[in-house]
Amino acid sequence: MVLCHLTIDYFDTSRVFGTITLTVNTFSMPAFIFISGLFSKHSIYSDKPPIKKSLQFLVVCFYIKVLNYFVNIIFGVKVAFDIFSVKDVARYMFAMSAWYLIAWAVRKFDVKYVLTLSVVIGCFAGYMSGDTDFLCIMRIVSFFLFFYAGCVLDRESVESVTAKKGAHIFSVVFLILYVVIFAVYFYDIEWLQPMLYCRSKYSALDKYSERGRLFRLCYYLLNACIIFSLISLCPRKEFKISKYGGRTLQIYTYHRPFWYIMENVGLFDLIHSVGGGVGMDCNCHCRLTCCTALPEVLGGAVKLSYEPKGAKIK
């Protein structure tokens, strides 16, 4: 995810980085959201509504917005602070707050009806009018399917099915084909980039706007296969670096402010001026990811807000 915030800058100038951006951005948010749903069952299926959990996500959302705002204005960068228009990295926290409450509200309805309705609404959400960033409405509606799917699927069943040999073979073949096709046909499909964030209206597709709902349906089906494949190929045992997987929210929260600082002090301009190029940029972003995962002090601010059972931030 952090690397894609770099590669997006080279989307139009490099086929390699454009392919990386397109392939990763296609599944990154749906996969994050699906896994979040898997870890939310305790709150979703409780008798009491998850008000506290929802408010905690709102607190983190506001914290991220304030942090990013002050990091920019300290360097004299003019940015608007709008509480009701949620974008940038804070959008995920705001949407999580809403998904918890929505999933709890529909928990007693028939799963197949909720899933079907989620797909239909998500496919037609691109035709909405008005500001799609207002209360993060477009993303909440379009991505809810993945969160709800994570809520209703049994984790043990998911692990059992994806651990089979046939699933491994399918996953390897599918992911290879997925990357190869995106690389070969990159210039033919790069115009789909705005649709990957589920933020833009279908009008962004110009002459293909009427087919937007079909593209969104294909997007859902493609991500179902990608998420299945990634889970299938994910190692079942714990490694030394596994503990950092519980700090993804920490990385998510702090990498952007540090990125703004590096950008505003002219670090990236300096790198380019001395001929550092893309490789040095990648090096900086990878180091940034590692740094935001390591310091314990950074995790304290977000720890209280999101500790999925069995995956605590340590």
Side-chain angles (χ1 to χ4, degrees):
M1 179 193 69
V2 177
L3 184 61
C4 275
H5 286 165
L6 161 68
T7 59
I8 189 67
D9 292 336
Y10 300 92
F11 186 81
D12 296 323
T13 59
S14 169
R15 184 176 192 142
V16 173
F17 284 95
T19 301
I20 292 174
T21 304
L22 205 60
T23 53
V24 176
N25 280 345
T26 297
F27 70 83
S28 59
M29 286 310 298
F32 264 119
I33 295 166
F34 175 79
I35 294 172
S36 298
L38 283 176
F39 287 113
S40 68
K41 298 180 187 296
H42 177 73
S43 297
I44 299 303
Y45 289 101
S46 63
D47 294 330
K48 296 181 179 180
I51 301 296
K52 181 179 179 181
K53 179 67 70 174
S54 180
L55 288 175
Q56 288 176 337
F57 280 114
L58 285 179
V59 169
V60 177
C61 172
F62 186 73
Y63 173 74
I64 293 174
K65 287 177 71 71
V66 170
L67 184 62
N68 288 337
Y69 176 75
F70 277 107
V71 166
N72 276 296
I73 65 171
I74 286 173
F75 290 94
V77 179
K78 294 183 178 180
V79 291
F81 187 83
D82 190 342
I83 295 177
F84 298 105
S85 182
V86 186
K87 46 191 173 183
D88 210 0
V89 295
R91 65 184 183 267
Y92 178 58
M93 295 294 100
F94 189 90
M96 282 290 290
S97 175
W99 289 327
Y100 263 80
L101 295 177
I102 297 171
W104 182 86
V106 301
R107 71 193 187 286
K108 294 185 179 180
F109 290 93
D110 193 304
V111 172
K112 61 177 178 291
Y113 293 137
V114 177
L115 285 174
T116 301
L117 185 61
S118 299
V119 172
V120 173
I121 294 177
C123 287
F124 283 90
Y127 295 115
M128 68 177 290
S129 58
D131 182 8
T132 59
D133 286 327
F134 181 73
L135 297 181
C136 204
I137 185 64
M138 177 75 85
R139 288 188 174 97
I140 290 175
V141 171
S142 301
F143 284 128
F144 175 71
L145 168 67
F146 299 105
F147 184 81
Y148 183 73
C151 291
V152 298
L153 289 177
D154 179 66
R155 284 198 335 217
E156 292 183 359
S157 298
V158 171
E159 291 178 1
S160 175
V161 172
T162 56
K164 295 180 179 179
K165 183 177 180 180
H168 293 330
I169 296 174
F170 167 82
S171 299
V172 171
V173 174
F174 175 81
L175 290 179
I176 291 175
L177 289 175
Y178 165 64
V179 174
V180 170
I181 291 174
F182 269 51
V184 173
Y185 295 99
F186 171 72
Y187 291 115
D188 296 317
I189 61 177
E190 61 176 333
W191 53 273
L192 286 170
Q193 171 73 3
M195 294 294 101
L196 303 182
Y197 306 106
C198 291
R199 173 190 177 189
S200 302
K201 303 173 187 178
Y202 292 152
S203 57
L205 296 175
D206 296 325
K207 61 180 179 179
Y208 298 109
S209 60
E210 290 301 318
R211 302 178 187 176
R213 59 188 180 276
L214 297 178
F215 292 139
R216 181 62 55 78
L217 181 60
C218 292
Y219 174 78
Y220 286 154
L221 294 174
L222 176 62
N223 270 288
C225 294
I226 294 175
I227 293 172
F228 176 90
S229 300
L230 292 175
I231 293 176
S232 177
L233 298 179
C234 184
R236 264 44 178 184
K237 61 181 181 179
E238 186 173 342
F239 297 94
K240 289 183 178 180
I241 62 172
S242 297
K243 61 181 179 181
Y244 301 119
R247 299 179 183 176
T248 51
L249 180 59
Q250 181 175 321
I251 299 170
Y252 185 86
T253 301
Y254 291 106
H255 86 274
R256 180 75 80 168
F258 282 127
W259 184 23
Y260 286 148
I261 293 173
M262 293 162 65
E263 184 177 46
N264 290 329
V265 299
L267 178 61
F268 296 131
D269 291 336
L270 177 62
I271 290 173
H272 295 156
S273 67
V274 297
V278 180
M280 186 63 72
D281 273 356
C282 289
N283 186 287
C284 287
H285 279 70
C286 290
R287 289 176 181 273
L288 174 60
T289 304
C290 295
C291 289
T292 51
L294 290 175
E296 192 61 35
V297 63
L298 295 181
V302 295
K303 184 182 295 186
L304 60 88
S305 167
Y306 186 52
E307 288 192 0
K309 191 174 182 180
K312 291 186 178 181
I313 300 174
K314 296 182 180 179

